[in-house]
Structures are given as structure tokens and as C-alpha cells.
Amino acid sequence: MRTSLVLLACVGFVQSLGRVPLSRLPSVRSRLRAANQLDEFLREHQPDVFSRRYAQCYPATQHYLRMGGRSTERLYNFMDAQFFGQISLGKPEQNFTVVFDTGSTDLWVPSSYCVSQACAMHHKFKAFESSTYGHDGRVFGIHYGSGHLLGVMAREELKVGSVTVQNQVFGEAVYEPGFAFVLAQFDGVLGLGFPQLAEELGSPVFDTMIAQGLLDEPVFSFYLKNNGSSFGGELLFGGVDETRFVSPINWIPVTQKGYWQIRLDVVKVQGALSFCYRSTQGCQAVVDTGTSLIGGPARDVLLLQQFIGATPTAVGEYLVDCVRISSLPVVSFLINNVEYSLTGEQYIRRETLNNKEICFSGFQSIDVPSPVGPVWILGDVFLSQFYSIYDRGHNQDLHKLQSGSSTPEKR
């Protein structure tokens, strides 16, 4: 029985849901490792790709590209993304596999006019084949470690599960930088963060769904499975699946709109180590479905790695002896006076390479400057153990968590 984590403003009975099945596939990091290219790739991209994603959590100014579009200096790090779902654009429908990412807000897919090698390996949007396409002409850019992803903006009919959105703003990528995108299992990204994170001008997908009255409740929810199978869970728009979790509900306010950001009271390692406790404000946590790992301040995570007996590799990953997993300490996150605990089996990532099992720590160092305390990132290592719900309605400043035990999986 799993503890359930729920993020919501209120939960009511929902008549209909937009249900999107999620697949779990090997991450870019895993594929690079299997191809014996991971060490070289990480050496060439030495800057901390994980922390740069959040480096603009509190931007003093907005960055612009000279071509008149908007850009960001954040780095979206999808190297470890492993949960994907399908959307379609246009009439007739053109299908794309995307990362549903609560850590960003924009929707983009490759354009048929894209000149990058990465685009040649993925589905490309063909505007000339769609009868519902609307040209926009504005440009956008997102900065990645290997350069800018560049594109033009457009409007199109979007289908996500059973929900059909009219005239949705999205980006057509005409240049995707770097080798990582070549190996990526996804075509594009559908962001589910707050509008304040948007780099494209126009309404984000979830806001458009709400504005067009397509949902019974302004809620979406994730059920993520990380049990080694290709079934990755599901994403629901418009409500929750109450068969996936058991009450009670723990209510948590969003501390700053943009990311789904909340207060984290304390992080404890089997009662022997504690982080955040020295600050009267605790820490901040970003709940991020687009990141697989759990990230924390470098000094704290280094102590945590040492305590669980993880040893560093040359490229910054941490290995754990697989035979020790059952004896590893429990790591707990105290959120609104409710403990969310992970065992070694839950925070260690297992991979098979050349018929040999390798075990990696699910924790990674980040250092995000913040005026409201240290920032932790709760990625899929954490979220795959809990059911998460995100509610933009009623009181929009509220982001809630729920504890309890999940019911047996139903498919």
C-alpha cells in the first residue's frame, strides 16, 4: 500500500475526465549510458544542467532574443524524463509523444521545417496538411545547455485525451540543439506550470481548457508508476481518480506562482540527519513531473549520499551497492506536518547494462539561489510513490498534499 500525495484546492465528484495513459520508457541518460556515450556527453556539458533549469526561479529581469521573441536562460533538463503521453494537433490529427511537465508552461513540437538532426528522428508537425492551422508568425526561444531551441508560434486544434482545445497557441520548433534531443523518446513538451513561466505569448494549454469551459473542475492529477513495466500511469484533466488513493487530505499553500512551489518543513534521514530545520521558514520545494530525480542543496545532498553509502562516479552520478538496498535508511519529507517517507527500494534507481544490474541514488545536488530558503526539487522518484493533484480553481494560491494509502492498482 502506497502513501498518497495530493496537491489540490478542493476535491469534488467529477462527471467526466480527460484521461491520458502514460508510458514509461528509458530516459536519455539511460540510452546514452547504453551507447557508451554518457561520460563524453556530460563532460561536454559540464555546467550543472539540473540547477540551471531553476536558475531563474526569481528573475530580476526578462531576457529577450534580438529577433523580437521571448527567451529564457533557464535550462529545461529532460535527460532523466521517462514518463510520456500522446497528444494530437490539427485536422486530420497528427500525433506526438510529449513530456507532461509541471516545471514549465509552454507547448512545443518539432516543425516539418526543422533543420536539426533531432527533428529528423521525431514526428514533425506539418502545417500544410491541417485544415485548422492558424499562422502566428512570432518567434520564441528556450535556452538549453547546448544552445537555443528556436521556433515560430502558431494556433491549432489540440486533443489531449478526450479533451479537444480550439485555437491553442503552441510552438513549432525549427531548431533543436544538441545530441540529447536525438536520443529523446519524446517529440515535444506540454507544460502544466503557472502562466507566469510562459515563454510563448498566449494562453498555456491548461488555462485554455479552463477558459473554454472544457473541464468540470480546474484540476489535473498524476498517477505515476515506477515498477519497471512500460505502464507509466495516467494523467487526468478535470478531476481525480479516487480509486488511486485514500484520504485524509493535507492542504498546502503555493508559496509562489510559476512552478508548483510549496514549503518543505524538514528532510530527515532515519532520524540521524535533518535538513531545513535550522531555518524558521523551512525550505522551498518545487513539485516537478518533468524531472525524475530528487534535488537538494549540494551540501545537504552530499551528506545524504555519504550517509546512504553512495559513491560518486566521474560524471557526478552516485552508485549504491544493489545488495544493500533493503538495509538503506528511510528518507522522509515533512510537508505541512505530514511525513512522506521513501525507503531505499523507492529512492534507488535500478538499471541493467550489459546484463549487469547497476543501482543509482535518486538524489542529485542542485543549488538554487532563493530569498525564501533552500530549494528542493521533488521529481518522479518522489512522485511515483504518491498520487498528486494540482488545482488552479477556487483559491488559486493553494497547492495541497494528501497522505493515506493507495488502493491496489486498477487498469
Side-chain angles (χ1 to χ4, degrees):
M1 302 289 280
R2 286 191 297 163
T3 301
S4 300
L5 167 62
V6 177
L7 306 100
L8 69 158
C10 66
V11 177
F13 182 76
V14 179
Q15 296 293 333
S16 59
L17 298 172
R19 194 178 300 265
V20 183
L22 300 177
S23 299
R24 181 179 179 273
L25 299 170
S27 66
V28 171
R29 184 185 300 270
S30 297
R31 300 188 72 194
L32 284 168
R33 182 180 291 110
N36 293 317
Q37 296 174 318
L38 179 62
D39 289 9
E40 179 182 357
F41 178 85
L42 293 180
R43 280 195 298 269
E44 291 178 357
H45 300 81
Q46 188 61 37
D48 187 351
V49 293
F50 200 5
S51 65
R52 286 186 60 192
R53 171 173 173 136
Y54 305 96
Q56 300 297 317
C57 276
Y58 306 95
T61 58
Q62 179 66 51
H63 300 273
Y64 291 87
L65 287 175
R66 295 185 183 275
M67 62 189 70
R70 300 181 63 193
S71 179
T72 175
E73 294 305 316
R74 267 192 313 276
L75 170 64
Y76 297 112
N77 171 34
F78 297 109
M79 271 196 65
D80 295 294
Q82 56 185 357
F83 293 98
F84 313 104
Q86 191 172 89
I87 64 171
S88 64
L89 287 163
K91 278 188 177 179
E93 295 178 1
Q94 300 178 43
N95 296 326
F96 300 91
T97 298
V98 297
V99 177
F100 289 98
D101 178 31
T102 59
S104 65
T105 299
D106 303 303
L107 167 63
W108 65 264
V109 297
S111 168
S112 60
Y113 300 106
C114 182
V115 297
S116 304
Q117 180 186 3
C119 294
M121 308 298 291
H122 294 94
H123 296 99
K124 298 179 288 294
F125 178 73
K126 302 177 178 64
F128 51 85
E129 291 186 0
S130 174
S131 63
T132 50
Y133 177 78
H135 179 69
D136 185 295
R138 293 172 294 176
V139 299
F140 73 96
I142 301 174
H143 187 72
Y144 289 82
S146 51
H148 277 86
L149 181 145
L150 302 174
V152 296
M153 293 163 55
R155 294 179 180 271
E156 186 55 281
E157 181 176 290
L158 166 70
K159 188 171 183 181
V160 186
S162 60
V163 179
T164 301
V165 183
Q166 303 297 329
N167 207 33
Q168 175 61 49
V169 172
F170 75 105
E172 295 182 70
V174 297
Y175 177 75
E176 296 182 12
F179 184 63
F181 283 106
V182 176
L183 288 180
Q185 300 271 30
F186 58 90
D187 302 311
V189 176
L190 192 156
L192 293 168
F194 285 83
Q196 287 86 338
L197 283 183
E199 303 303 334
E200 299 168 0
L201 300 176
S203 177
V205 171
F206 191 61
D207 292 75
T208 308
M209 289 180 177
I210 295 172
Q212 294 182 6
L214 303 176
L215 306 175
D216 290 337
E217 295 284 346
V219 172
F220 62 91
S221 54
F222 277 90
Y223 173 68
L224 301 179
K225 289 288 290 183
N226 193 7
N227 58 1
S229 71
S230 61
F231 171 70
E234 63 185 12
L235 163 63
L236 274 67
F237 288 97
V240 303
D241 186 343
E242 296 182 359
T243 67
R244 300 296 192 188
F245 64 91
V246 174
S247 297
I249 295 176
N250 175 30
W251 303 73
I252 306 293
V254 162
T255 55
Q256 179 163 322
K257 294 179 183 178
Y259 300 105
W260 289 92
Q261 184 173 320
I262 59 175
R263 171 175 165 161
L264 173 60
D265 300 322
V266 67
V267 181
K268 299 189 295 184
V269 186
Q270 198 121 342
L273 287 177
S274 294
F275 309 112
C276 301
Y277 68 93
R278 295 186 183 89
S279 170
T280 57
Q281 295 179 316
C283 294
Q284 295 292 296
V286 172
V287 183
D288 187 356
T289 60
T291 296
S292 283
L293 305 179
I294 297 173
R299 183 172 61 179
D300 293 345
V301 171
L302 178 59
L303 288 173
L304 192 158
Q305 305 282 32
Q306 292 173 343
F307 194 81
I308 67 175
T311 56
T313 67
V315 293
E317 296 181 297
Y318 280 79
L319 294 172
V320 174
D321 186 346
C322 296
V323 301
R324 295 182 52 248
I325 290 179
S326 61
S327 63
L328 292 178
V330 172
V331 179
S332 299
F333 297 81
L334 187 68
I335 304 171
N336 201 32
N337 296 317
V338 175
E339 275 196 8
Y340 298 90
S341 298
L342 302 180
T343 65
E345 288 285 355
Q346 294 169 328
Y347 63 72
I348 296 299
R349 300 175 298 130
R350 298 174 183 261
E351 291 189 20
T352 301
L353 182 63
N354 298 325
N355 296 319
K356 179 182 178 181
E357 185 176 57
I358 307 174
C359 296
F360 297 91
S361 168
F363 299 100
Q364 183 168 350
S365 298
I366 63 166
D367 277 308
V368 181
S370 163
V372 288
V375 177
W376 288 70
I377 310 299
L378 304 181
D380 297 337
V381 167
F382 182 83
L383 292 172
S384 61
Q385 306 305 319
F386 307 101
Y387 189 94
S388 59
I389 304 173
Y390 309 75
D391 192 330
R392 289 276 305 281
H394 302 92
N395 188 338
Q396 294 189 21
D397 285 341
L398 293 182
H399 186 197
K400 331 294 190 193
L401 304 179
Q402 169 172 350
S403 69
S405 296
S406 66
T407 56
E409 178 184 333
K410 297 182 179 180
R411 301 193 186 183

